[in-house]
Amino acid sequence: MSDRETARFRVLLFGPARERASADHVLVDAPVGTACAGLLQAMGAQHPALAFVLPAARLAVNHALAPADRVPDPGDEIALIALVDGG
Amino acid sequence: MSDRETARFRVLLFGPARERASADHVLVDAPVGTACAGLLQAMGAQHPALAFVLPAARLAVNHALAPADRVPDPGDEIALIALVDGG
Amino acid sequence: MSVQARIVDGPLDPQAPEASPGSGAVLRFEGVVRPVEPQGPGGAPRELAALHYETYDPMAERSLAALATEMLARHRVHAIRVLHSRGRVSAGAISFTLEVRAAHRAEAIAALTEFIDRMKRDVPIWKRPVWR
Amino acid sequence: MSVQARIVDGPLDPQAPEASPGSGAVLRFEGVVRPVEPQGPGGAPRELAALHYETYDPMAERSLAALATEMLARHRVHAIRVLHSRGRVSAGAISFTLEVRAAHRAEAIAALTEFIDRMKRDVPIWKRPVWR
């Protein structure tokens, strides 16, 4: 992939994901135009420690839960929302 | 019926039944051994103003709701419990 | 496990729940006299000054306690406290409070819901509107 | 109709509900940190000193408000007020309160039940046990 085809996304982490990754965010590389579902898969592949959250995982884009087909911009605030037992 | 065969029951009234009867109790004559279901029917026959409550009516005997086949004693405290829209 | 049931003259005070360190869920219901009610079933709305509650004593209080004890056992909740007014309660004031403590919310909600349904059917308390 | 949603640092105070003269039903839920929890799913019970709540701000508060607004419309209730703790809340203390005012109890119960279910699924708040 050339630089033009791939973007780098910053994904904020919370809860068990943050503990497992020992970090408050991870960087995920994915082709420009990747939707949230694909970005989650790329995250699991590039950060295997986070694969455990994938079944319950969604992404928030700019502080709102995003549908799986939403295409985020690398400049958006993206957060991993994986609520196994929240509240 | 002879005096020995018939008993006189005092039935306390509350709510709409008390208002309709303009009294806090009625007297109901019924054969000795009459169960609560029969006593309610006798009450409706002898005090037609109270017939309107019969569909929702039960009797309490000594401060507890009584099953339809309970045979009250004329000395018991008997009350008409007809809760159309209580609480 | 505990049950409290009481009939109180007049309106009830709004109260903060007591501390309950062992229970994960505290659910409290307050019944407030509505300022407007239909006049009779299906009737037109009319302004209400108060409701007047008539109770059959001591059966009313005993029935509340028996119902609380039954709900406590059936839904495995920790504690139930119920208060109900007797006499006049003005519109906007509280005439009924029910507090349920349980380990989890599901039991608390189930116990509270069934308690109120059963109370309206089985507890000898009658209300009479005092129209404005 | 009104909605209030707030994330608060530390434990919540037990509070008497505010007056609500137009609503016939006031339902209030308090979530209390349990002193004993299973350690992990299906695990053995273990004593808990506290829960530590992590929130994604400002999304958590916004999500609570959006959820309250949605429940208000769907269940036709009059008002919803929700508070949730952020940070450490000791065992026995309150970390969540939800108050629903409605004309009748059925709507209040439905709105409260759905609110809590949805909150646990959709509102970005995570809890971490602090074992004793």
Side-chain angles (χ1 to χ4, degrees), chain C residues 52-73:
Chain C
H52 189 278
Y53 291 95
E54 184 185 7
T55 58
Y56 174 30
D57 301 317
M59 182 180 166
E61 200 168 85
R62 284 186 202 166
S63 305
L64 290 175
L67 185 53
T69 303
E70 185 185 338
M71 294 300 100
L72 197 89

Side-chain angles (χ1 to χ4, degrees), chain B residues 12-16 18-19 58 60 62-65 77-87, chain C residues 53-60 62-63 84 95-96 118-128:
Chain B
L12 302 177
L13 304 178
F14 299 92
R18 177 184 287 204
E19 284 175 44
R58 288 166 294 173
N62 299 332
H63 303 106
L65 284 173
E77 181 169 322
I78 302 173
L80 175 64
I81 309 293
L83 296 162
V84 180
D85 178 26
Chain C
Y53 291 95
E54 184 185 7
T55 58
Y56 174 30
D57 301 317
M59 182 180 166
R62 284 186 202 166
S63 305
H84 200 297
S95 60
F96 169 62
R118 289 278 304 278
M119 179 179 79
K120 301 217 162 225
R121 221 168 60 212
D122 293 344
V123 175
I125 302 175
W126 291 265
K127 63 184 183 193
R128 178 169 52 78

Side-chain angles (χ1 to χ4, degrees), chain C residues 21-116:
Chain C
S23 300
V26 181
L27 187 62
R28 184 182 178 84
F29 178 86
E30 296 191 343
V32 178
V33 175
R34 283 181 285 271
V36 175
E37 287 281 8
Q39 191 174 11
R46 184 170 167 188
E47 279 192 36
L48 201 72
L51 285 177
H52 189 278
Y53 291 95
E54 184 185 7
T55 58
Y56 174 30
D57 301 317
M59 182 180 166
E61 200 168 85
R62 284 186 202 166
S63 305
L64 290 175
L67 185 53
T69 303
E70 185 185 338
M71 294 300 100
L72 197 89
R74 176 172 312 161
H75 297 286
R76 298 167 174 274
V77 302
H78 300 162
I80 297 182
R81 189 160 66 123
V82 56
L83 302 173
H84 200 297
S85 292
R86 177 203 287 120
R88 183 190 168 97
V89 181
S90 297
I94 301 166
S95 60
F96 169 62
T97 68
L98 175 61
E99 192 178 292
V100 180
R101 289 140 199 282
H104 305 93
R105 72 185 184 289
E107 302 98 88
I109 292 170
L112 181 130
T113 304
E114 189 180 356
F115 187 105
I116 299 176

Side-chain angles (χ1 to χ4, degrees), chain A residues 1 6-9 27-32 34 38-39 42-43 46-47:
Chain A
M1 293 189 237
T6 297
R8 172 157 290 183
F9 296 84
L27 299 175
V28 179
D29 292 330
V32 168
T34 297
L39 194 56
M43 185 195 74
Q46 292 166 37
H47 303 278

